[in-house]
C-alpha cells in the first residue's frame, strides 16, 4: 500500500505507540516497519497471533522478554573474527536465556497458542554456549579464574607476587632510616608500577627509578631499586593474565560464530514474539477487540443488497483521541450502498469519522485489534486511499483544489473494487457549481466501478445526488444549535445541514441581516433545502415508527421467551413431581419388604422359642426322675462379700457369670462369651450343691439361633412397644458378633429418636453410635457399634 495514504491516516503515530510496548530493539524495528497486509490469510494469521498473545498475557501477566538484545551485529563481528568483549558475550547469553524462558512458557500451551508456539519452536536454546559463557564470565563482566586452569595458575602467582612486592615496599616505608626522606608513608601507583613519595631534596637517598613528580615538584614518585625485580615479575604476570583472558574471549567468540545461524533465528523469533506481545499490550491499553474478517470474494449481491459487505463498525473510536472523551460512531458500508456521503457543519466530526474508518481498517490489516465493540467486521482491502487535509504548496504552485484533484486523479488510476477510498471535502476549493458537478461525476465513476468510498462535503447537490442515486447513501454529523457545539454523532440515512443561519442567529447577528442573507439564496437552493428537510422528517418518522415496531417486536419476543421459560419450568416441575412420586412409591415398596421380612423373622423366632421351651421342660422332667432329692434343691444364696473369681447370678441379665473385676460399686462380669458392667447390688453369689451320688449326664440340643438382621425398623412404634424390641435386638446382634447395626426410628417429632439414643448411651454392650449420613437415612437412622467380644 502507498505509504503516503497511510501517513494521512496517521498510521505512523499508531505504530509509534505500538513500538513503546516492545521490549528490545529488534521488536521495536518490526513494530515501526509494520505495514497493512492485503492477503486475507496473512491478516487472519496476524490477528490470531495478537489474540493468542492476549490470552498468554492473561495467563501469565508478568511474562516479558527482559534480557533480550539484538545481538545480530555482534554475531556478524564474531563471524569475521573480531573479538567480543565480556559484556557482548553476556548480551548473547542473556538473549539465549530470554529465548529459552519464553519458549518454555509457550510450548506447554501449544494447543491453545498454536501460532505463538510455531514462533517459539524457532527459538534455539544453545545450552552448551550458554553454559560455556556462564562458566567463564560472571554477571559483572569479569573473566572468572575457573575459565581455564592456566588463568587460575597465573592469577594465583600474580597474587603471590603482588603480596611480596607490597610487603617489601611496606618494610621500606616503615623503616626509621627512610622516614625522614619520605613525603608520606604510603604506596601508590604510577604508570602501572608501585612507587613511594620521596621528598625532592632527598633525591638519591633511596636509590630507585623516578616515574613521576608532583605538580609543585616537591615530591618524586620513585620505584626503589630493591623492588624493581619484584615489580618486573608482577608486571610480567599481568601481561600473561591479559594474554590468557584474550585467548579465552577469542575462544568464546569462536563458539558464538559457530552458533551464528541459531542465534540469528532466535533473535528473529524473539522479535516477532515481542511484536505479538506488544500488539496485545496495546490492545489492552486502548480497550480493543478482535475484528471479524469479512469474506474477500466480491459477490454480485441480491436485488435488495446489490453490494457485498465492506465494513461494519460498532461504537468505533479514533485510537489517537482520549477514550474517555471521544464519541464512538456506528458506521457500515455495503449491502444497499457502496458510497457514503457525509455532510454537516465544520468541526462536526466528518473528517474524524473518515480517519477513524480508514485507520481502523489499516490497523486490522496490520494485525492490531481495533477500538470498537464486539461484532465489528471489516473486509481485507487491497488498497487504502485517502485524500484528507489541505496539501496546497506555494513552491509547487498548487492551490487547495489542484492538490486535491491531483490526489483524486492518482487514486482513480490505482483503486479497484477491492479498495477503500476516503475523500475529504470532495470538490472544494473552486467554484461551487463546477466543484459540485465534478464531485457528482467522480462519485458516479466510483459507483460505476463498484469502488467502496466515503466522502465528506457541504454541497446540497451531493446530498440530493445521494438521495436520488441507488448505491449512494447520505450520512450526517449532528450539531447542537442551543450549545453551538457538535455532538460528533454520525447518523446514516439523513443528510446534514450547515446550520449557518441558526448559528449566526444564536451568536447574536441582527435578524434583518439574516433575513437579507436569505434573499440571496437561489430558489433552487431553497427548494433543495425544503426537499431535504421533508426527506429528513419522513425518515425521522419512519425511524420512529421502526423503533416503535422494534420495541414492540422485542417485547413480543420477550413475552414469548418468558412463556417458553414458564413452559420449561412447568415441564421441569412435572418431571420433578413424577420423580418424587416414583421415589416415594419405591420407598413404600422397600418398607413393605422390610416389614414382611421382620414379620417372618418374628414368626421364626416365636416358633424357635416354643420348640426350645418344650425341649428344656422335657429334659428337666427326665433329670428330676434320675436325681436324688438333694440335687433338686436350688443353689443356696450366700450373703458373704463378693470377690474376683466368684460365681454370681446377674439378676438384670438373668444369667450366671464370673466376676473378673470390682471397682466403685460396679463389677465387670464374664457372662458366656461377653463381658458386662453391672452394679454390685444386682449380683447374688451362688454355689452349686455337691451331688451325693454320681450325676447322670443330660444333653440338651438346641436348634441354631437365627442370624439377626443388620437393621431394626421401629419407625412408627410407640416408645413402650419399641423398647423391648430394641433391648432384645441389641443382645441378639451382639451375641451374633455383628460389628454394627442400623436402628431405623424415623424423624417424626424426635421423641422416639431421643429415647433410643438415651438407651444406647447407657447400654453396656454399645461402644458408640452416630446419626446416619445423608445416603444412610440422615437423622431418621442411628448407626450403632458394639464393644468387641473378648
Amino acid at each position: 500500500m502507498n505509504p503516503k495514504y497511510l501517513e494521512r491516516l496517521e498510521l505512523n503515530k499508531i505504530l509509534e505507540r505500538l513500538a513503546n510496548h516492545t521490549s528490545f530493539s529488534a521488536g521495536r524495528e518490526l513494530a515501526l516497519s509494520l505495514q497493512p497486509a492485503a492477503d486475507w490469510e496473512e491478516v487472519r494469521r496476524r490477528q490470531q497471533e495478537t489474540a493468542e498473545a492476549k490470552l498468554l498475557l492473561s495467563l501469565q501477566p508478568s511474562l516479558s522478554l527482559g534480557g533480550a538484545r539484538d545481538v545480530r551485529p555482534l554475531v556478524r563481528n564474531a563471524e569475521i573474527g573480531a573479538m567480543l568483549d565480556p559484556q557482548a558475550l553476556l548480551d548473547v547469553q542473556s538473549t539465549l536465556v530470554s529465548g529459552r524462558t519464553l519458549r518454555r512458557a509457550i510450548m506447554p500451551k501449544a494447543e491453545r497458542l498454536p501460532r505463538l508456539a510455531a514462533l517459539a519452536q524457532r527459538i534455539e536454546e544453545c545450552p552448551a554456549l550458554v553454559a560455556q559463557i556462564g562458566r567463564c564470565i560472571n554477571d559483572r563482566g569479569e573473566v572468572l579464574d575457573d575459565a581455564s586452569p592456566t588463568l587460575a595458575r597465573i592469577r594465583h602467582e600474580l597474587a603471590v607476587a603482588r603480596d611480596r612486592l607490597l610487603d617489601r615496599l611496606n618494610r621500606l616505608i616503615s623503616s626509621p632510616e627512610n622516614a625522614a626522606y619520605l613525603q608520606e608513608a604510603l604506596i601508590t601507583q604510577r604508570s602501572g608500577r608501585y612507587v613511594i613519595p620521596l621528598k625532592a631534596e632527598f633525591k638519591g637517598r633511596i636509590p630507585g627509578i623516578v616515574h613521576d613528580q608532583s605538580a609543585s615538584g616537591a615530591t618524586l614518585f620513585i620505584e626503589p631499586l630493591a623492588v624493581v625485580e619484584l615489580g618486573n615479575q608482577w608486571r610480567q604476570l599481568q601481561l600473561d593474565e591479559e594474554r590468557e583472558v584474550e585467548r579465552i574471549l577469542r575462544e568464546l567468540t569462536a563458539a558464538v560464530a559457530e552458533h551464528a545461524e541459531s542465534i540469528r533465528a532466535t533473535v528473529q523469533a524473539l522479535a516477532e514474539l515481542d511484536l505479538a506481545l506488544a500488539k496485545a499490550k496495546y490492545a489492552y491499553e486502548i480497550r480493543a477487540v478482535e475484528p471479524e474478517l469479512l469474506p474477500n470474494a466480491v459477490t454480485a449481491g441480491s436485488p435488495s443488497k446489490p453490494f457485498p459487505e465492506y465494513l461494519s463498525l460498532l461504537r468505533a473510536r479514533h485510537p489517537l483521541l482520549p477514550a474517555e472523551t471521544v464519541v464512538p460512531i456506528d458506521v457500515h458500508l455495503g449491502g444497499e450502498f457502496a458510497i457514503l456521503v457525509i455532510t454537516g457543519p465544520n468541526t462536526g466530526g466528518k473528517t474524524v469519522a473518515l480517519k477513524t474508518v480508514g485507520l481502523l481498517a489499516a490497523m486490522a490489516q496490520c494485525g492490531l485489534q481495533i477500538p470498537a465493540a464486539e461484532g465489528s467486521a471489516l473486509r481485507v482491502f487491497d488498497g487504502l486511499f485517502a485524500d484528507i487535509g489541505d496539501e496546497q504548496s506555494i513552491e509547487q504552485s498548487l492551490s487547495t483544489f489542484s492538490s486535491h484533484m491531483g490526489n483524486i486523479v492518482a487514486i482513480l488510476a490505482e483503486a479497484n473494487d477491492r479498495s477503500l477510498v476516503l475523500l475529504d471535502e470532495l470538490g472544494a476549493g473552486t467554484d461551487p457549481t463546477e466543484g459540485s458537478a465534478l464531485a457528482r461525476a467522480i462519485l458516479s465513476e466510483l459507483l460505476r466501478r463498484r469502488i467502496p468510498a466515503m466522502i465528506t462535503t457541504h454541497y446540497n447537490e451531493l446530498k440530493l445526488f445521494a438521495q436520488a442515486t441507488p448505491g449512494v447513501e447520505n450520512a450526517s454529523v449532528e450539531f447542537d444549535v442551543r450549545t453551538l457545539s457538535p455532538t460528533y454523532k454520525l447518523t446514516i440515512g439523513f443528510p446534514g445541514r450547515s446550520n449557518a443561519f441558526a448559528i449566526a442567529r444564536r451568536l447574536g447577528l441582527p435578524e434583518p441581516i439574516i433575513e437579507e442573507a436569505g434573499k440571496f439564496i437561489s430558489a433552487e437552493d431553497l427548494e433543495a433545502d425544503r426537499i431535504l428537510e421533508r426527506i429528513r422528517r419522513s425518515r425521522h418518522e419512519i425511524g420512529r415508527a421502526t423503533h416503535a415496531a422494534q420495541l414492540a417486536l422485542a417485547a413480543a419476543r420477550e413475552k414469548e421467551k418468558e412463556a417458553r421459560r414458564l413452559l420449561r419450568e412447568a415441564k421441569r416441575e412435572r418431571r420433578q413431581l413424577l420423580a418424587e412420586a416414583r421415589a416415594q412409591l419405591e420407598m413404600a415398596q422397600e418398607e413393605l419388604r422390610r416389614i414382611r421380612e421382620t414379620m417372618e423373622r418374628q414368626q421364626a423366632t416365636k416358633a424357635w422359642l416354643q420348640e426350645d421351651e418344650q425341649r428344656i421342660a422335657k429334659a428337666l422332667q427326665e433329670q428330676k426322675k434320675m436325681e436324688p432329692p438333694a440335687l433338686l434343691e436350688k443353689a443356696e444364696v450366700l450373703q458373704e462379700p463378693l470377690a474376683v473369681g466368684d460365681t454370681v447370678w446377674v439378676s438384670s441379665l438373668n444369667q450366671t457369670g464370673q466376676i473378673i473385676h470390682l471397682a466403685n460399686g460396679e463389677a465387670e462380669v464374664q457372662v458366656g462369651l461377653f463381658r458386662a458392667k453391672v452394679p454390685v447390688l444386682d449380683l447374688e453369689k451362688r454355689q452349686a450343691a455337691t451331688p451325693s451320688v454320681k450325676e447322670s449326664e443330660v444333653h440338651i440340643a438346641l436348634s441354631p439361633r437365627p442370624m439377626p438382621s443388620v437393621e431394626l425398623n421401629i419407625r412408627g412404634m410407640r416408645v413402650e412397644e419399641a423398647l423391648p424390641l430394641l433391648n432384645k435386638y441389641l443382645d441378639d446382634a451382639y451375641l451374633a458378633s455383628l460389628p454394627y447395626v442400623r436402628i431405623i426410628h424415623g424423624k417424626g417429632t424426635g421423641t422416639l429418636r431421643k429415647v433410643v439414643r438415651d438407651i444406647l448411651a447407657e447400654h453396656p454392650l454399645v461402644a458408640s453410635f452416630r446419626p446416619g449420613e445423608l445416603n444412610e437415612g440422615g437423622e431418621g437412622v442411628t448407626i450403632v457399634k458394639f464393644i468387641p467380644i473378648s
Side-chain angles (χ1 to χ4, degrees):
M1 295 187 183
N2 193 326
K4 177 177 69 173
Y5 303 123
L6 298 177
E7 186 175 353
R8 288 174 184 163
L9 294 173
E10 298 179 299
L11 179 63
N12 57 320
K13 295 181 180 179
I14 297 295
L15 298 182
E16 186 65 38
R17 296 190 179 190
L18 173 66
N20 291 337
H21 290 284
T22 57
S23 299
F24 74 120
S25 58
R28 181 177 181 85
E29 287 178 8
L30 288 183
L32 292 175
S33 62
L34 190 61
Q35 292 292 305
D39 180 71
W40 193 91
E41 288 294 337
E42 173 63 15
V43 174
R44 185 168 71 98
R45 183 190 65 78
R46 292 182 179 186
Q47 287 291 342
Q48 287 175 342
E49 280 183 2
T50 306
E52 289 179 15
K54 286 184 72 175
L55 175 58
L56 180 60
L57 288 179
S58 69
L59 297 174
Q60 293 181 250
S62 60
L63 185 68
S64 72
L65 274 76
R69 304 285 186 274
D70 186 3
V71 296
R72 290 173 293 189
L74 300 178
V75 173
R76 284 194 296 272
N77 291 340
E79 287 181 308
I80 63 175
M83 187 183 72
L84 301 182
D85 60 31
Q87 187 55 54
L89 291 167
L90 286 180
D91 286 345
V92 172
Q93 182 198 39
S94 176
T95 301
L96 293 174
V97 170
S98 179
R100 179 183 65 192
T101 301
L102 193 59
R103 176 189 171 100
R104 295 181 182 181
I106 292 174
M107 293 311 295
K109 307 176 184 67
E111 290 187 2
R112 301 178 67 184
L113 310 172
R115 296 289 184 183
L116 296 187
L119 291 176
Q121 190 71 37
R122 291 159 42 194
I123 294 175
E124 300 285 347
E125 297 187 10
C126 303
L129 179 59
V130 171
Q132 186 178 1
I133 295 174
R135 180 176 56 81
C136 296
I137 303 175
N138 64 17
D139 293 340
R140 296 185 298 276
E142 300 168 342
V143 178
L144 297 169
D145 296 352
D146 296 337
S148 76
T150 301
L151 183 62
R153 177 184 57 78
I154 292 173
R155 285 183 173 174
H156 173 71
E157 294 176 358
L158 187 64
V160 172
R162 180 179 178 275
D163 289 343
R164 288 176 180 172
L165 175 59
L166 292 177
D167 181 63
R168 187 68 177 271
L169 287 171
N170 279 319
R171 288 203 304 269
L172 282 172
I173 65 175
S174 61
S175 172
E177 298 176 358
N178 300 326
Y181 310 140
L182 299 176
Q183 198 72 261
E184 289 182 82
L186 63 81
I187 301 170
T188 185
Q189 280 191 347
R190 289 293 187 274
S191 303
R193 308 287 290 195
Y194 282 111
V195 296
I196 59 176
L198 181 70
K199 294 178 181 177
E201 62 266 26
F202 295 114
K203 180 180 180 181
R205 294 298 180 91
I206 300 177
I209 302 171
V210 178
H211 288 282
D212 197 6
Q213 68 177 4
S214 64
S216 64
T219 304
L220 301 177
F221 295 95
I222 70 165
E223 181 182 10
L225 291 178
V227 298
V228 168
E229 183 59 30
L230 291 176
N232 290 341
Q233 293 176 6
W234 177 65
R235 181 59 183 158
Q236 182 61 46
L237 289 171
Q238 283 182 314
L239 295 175
D240 292 343
E241 180 193 26
E242 290 175 2
R243 282 193 294 269
E244 181 61 16
V245 167
E246 181 179 343
R247 186 193 67 78
I248 292 169
L249 294 178
R250 289 193 178 279
E251 188 177 280
L252 292 174
T253 300
V256 170
E258 290 177 5
H259 293 82
E261 291 305 321
S262 297
I263 296 172
R264 287 194 188 94
T266 296
V267 171
Q268 183 62 32
L270 285 175
E272 292 179 33
L273 285 168
D274 190 26
L275 176 60
L277 292 173
K279 290 178 185 177
K281 293 173 185 176
Y282 186 52
Y284 280 123
E285 178 186 324
I286 63 174
R287 302 198 298 272
V289 300
E290 180 181 0
E292 177 189 348
L293 298 181
L294 296 171
N296 218 10
V298 178
T299 59
S302 63
S304 60
K305 294 185 176 181
F307 300 97
E309 290 294 329
Y310 299 113
L311 58 89
S312 176
L313 298 176
L314 308 176
R315 299 191 61 76
R317 294 173 282 109
H318 195 291
L320 297 177
L321 298 177
E324 298 77 18
T325 57
V326 65
V327 178
I329 62 172
D330 294 341
V331 57
H332 68 272
L333 195 63
E336 297 180 359
F337 55 91
I339 298 175
L340 193 62
V341 177
I342 305 174
T343 52
N346 289 323
T347 72
K350 300 189 301 297
T351 304
V352 172
L354 281 189
K355 286 188 173 182
T356 299
V357 172
L359 187 53
L360 266 57
M363 288 175 64
Q365 292 180 219
C366 285
L368 295 169
Q369 296 190 351
I370 61 174
E374 293 284 352
S376 296
L378 291 155
R379 69 174 302 177
V380 176
F381 297 102
D382 285 359
L384 295 172
F385 300 94
D387 178 42
I388 298 174
D390 188 358
E391 292 187 356
Q392 63 177 334
S393 171
I394 297 176
E395 294 178 356
Q396 299 180 14
S397 300
L398 291 176
S399 65
T400 299
F401 177 77
S402 298
S403 172
H404 283 301
M405 195 51 57
N407 291 332
I408 292 172
V409 169
I411 289 172
L412 290 176
E414 297 180 43
N416 57 37
D417 57 357
R418 294 180 299 277
S419 305
L420 177 63
V421 174
L422 306 170
L423 304 176
D424 190 25
E425 298 295 347
L426 180 61
T430 187
D431 176 75
T433 302
E434 294 181 351
S436 65
L438 280 172
R440 280 177 286 176
I442 292 170
L443 290 185
S444 297
E445 177 66 10
L446 293 172
L447 185 61
R448 184 186 67 80
R449 294 166 56 182
R450 300 176 66 87
I451 299 175
M454 293 176 61
I455 72 148
T456 65
T457 185
H458 286 283
Y459 292 143
N460 276 340
E461 291 85 355
L462 292 186
K463 301 177 190 178
L464 292 172
F465 176 81
Q467 187 63 41
T469 306
V472 184
E473 182 60 274
N474 272 308
S476 62
V477 287
E478 298 180 358
F479 189 88
D480 191 336
V481 179
R482 293 173 299 175
T483 61
L484 298 180
S485 60
T487 65
Y488 302 109
K489 183 179 178 182
L490 179 69
T491 304
I492 295 178
F494 296 94
R497 292 178 293 182
S498 64
N499 296 297
F501 287 2
I503 294 172
R505 184 177 288 109
R506 182 73 175 173
L507 290 175
L509 189 68
E511 190 65 28
I513 297 177
I514 296 174
E515 292 177 357
E516 184 67 20
K519 296 176 182 178
F520 297 125
I521 298 177
S522 65
E524 291 83 0
D525 289 339
L526 290 174
E527 182 62 23
D529 281 342
R530 283 193 291 269
I531 293 173
L532 290 174
E533 183 61 26
R534 285 198 298 271
I535 293 171
R536 172 182 290 275
R537 290 179 181 176
S538 299
R539 291 211 171 185
H540 182 67
E541 292 298 327
I542 294 172
R544 290 178 56 185
T546 302
H547 181 66
Q550 289 175 343
L551 290 178
L553 179 61
R557 287 177 176 171
E558 189 63 29
K559 289 181 180 179
E560 180 185 8
K561 181 179 177 182
E562 179 65 16
R564 291 180 181 277
R565 187 189 66 79
L566 292 174
L567 180 60
R568 287 195 303 270
E569 186 68 20
K571 289 181 178 180
R572 188 187 64 78
E573 291 180 358
R574 179 175 176 273
R575 287 194 300 270
Q576 184 176 351
L577 290 173
L578 289 174
E580 291 177 356
R582 189 179 301 109
Q584 290 176 358
L585 286 173
E586 291 174 354
M587 289 176 61
Q589 289 175 346
E590 180 65 18
E591 188 65 23
L592 287 174
R593 183 185 65 78
R594 291 177 179 173
I595 292 172
R596 188 180 297 109
E597 290 178 354
T598 302
M599 292 178 65
E600 290 174 355
R601 285 199 301 270
Q602 290 175 349
Q603 292 295 330
T605 302
K606 183 176 180 181
W608 175 76
L609 289 174
Q610 289 174 351
E611 292 175 3
D612 280 356
E613 287 175 357
Q614 292 174 2
R615 262 194 297 274
I616 291 171
K618 183 177 179 181
L620 288 174
Q621 289 175 1
E622 293 178 355
Q623 187 178 21
K624 286 178 182 179
K625 292 177 183 179
M626 294 184 289
E627 289 181 348
L631 292 176
L632 298 176
E633 298 177 1
K634 294 183 179 178
E636 301 181 51
V637 179
L638 304 178
Q639 301 300 327
E640 63 265 31
L642 301 176
V644 174
D646 286 347
T647 300
V648 293
W649 173 261
V650 185
S651 59
S652 60
L653 298 177
N654 291 326
Q655 296 284 339
T656 300
Q658 187 178 26
I659 297 176
I660 60 174
H661 183 69
L662 283 169
N664 301 324
E666 286 189 339
E668 188 171 352
V669 182
Q670 183 75 40
V671 181
L673 297 176
F674 65 90
R675 296 179 182 180
K677 283 187 178 181
V678 295
V680 173
L681 296 176
D682 287 351
L683 304 180
E684 295 177 4
K685 188 172 182 181
R686 291 290 179 90
Q687 182 176 357
T690 303
S692 57
V693 295
K694 185 178 180 180
E695 298 182 9
S696 300
E697 293 182 357
V698 179
H699 297 278
I700 302 175
L702 300 178
S703 60
R705 182 185 297 271
M707 176 64 70
S709 171
V710 293
E711 69 179 26
L712 173 66
N713 191 343
I714 56 174
R715 182 171 51 185
M717 295 184 181
R718 295 192 298 274
V719 173
E720 55 271 19
E721 295 174 339
L723 292 187
L725 289 176
L726 176 62
N727 285 321
K728 183 178 184 308
Y729 174 72
L730 293 175
D731 292 343
D732 291 345
Y734 181 82
L735 292 173
S737 300
L738 295 180
Y740 65 88
V741 294
R742 182 168 175 258
I743 310 298
I744 303 174
H745 43 64
K747 298 179 182 178
T749 61
T751 302
L752 183 57
R753 178 179 65 235
K754 183 178 183 304
V755 172
V756 167
R757 293 180 180 176
D758 288 346
I759 291 174
L760 294 175
E762 300 295 333
H763 201 283
L765 303 180
V766 175
S768 64
F769 63 90
R770 62 173 175 81
E773 301 291 345
L774 289 177
N775 60 346
E776 294 174 327
E779 285 294 333
V781 169
T782 299
I783 307 300
V784 182
K785 289 188 177 181
F786 294 107
I787 60 175
I789 297 176
S790 301

